[in-house]
Amino acid sequence: KLLPDIGYPQTGEKAEPGTYVCINCSDAGKSEDSVVNLPRSSKLPDCPVCGYTYWMKFNSSMQVLVF
């Protein structure tokens, strides 16, 4: 990994199915395009809006899951 592990899923890591939102865009309310839905386990991309590489996962009731 090029970036430090701050306890959040990162770009390139294999993530479990679910909904992930970019940490950078979520604070700024930038765009719904910064939300990634993974229907199956796969690698997380860079944020398509800002290029940031850290993600937060939401559960089915749209609450942030703390890692």
Side-chain angles (χ1 to χ4, degrees), residues 13-49:
E13 290 183 347
K14 190 166 186 176
E16 296 180 11
T19 301
Y20 295 81
V21 64
C22 171
I23 292 175
N24 189 49
C25 292
S26 67
D27 290 337
K30 290 183 180 177
S31 172
E32 289 184 18
D33 293 335
S34 65
V35 176
V36 173
N37 292 302
L38 300 179
R40 62 187 181 286
S41 292
S42 58
K43 290 185 178 180
L44 287 165
D46 289 341
C47 175
V49 175

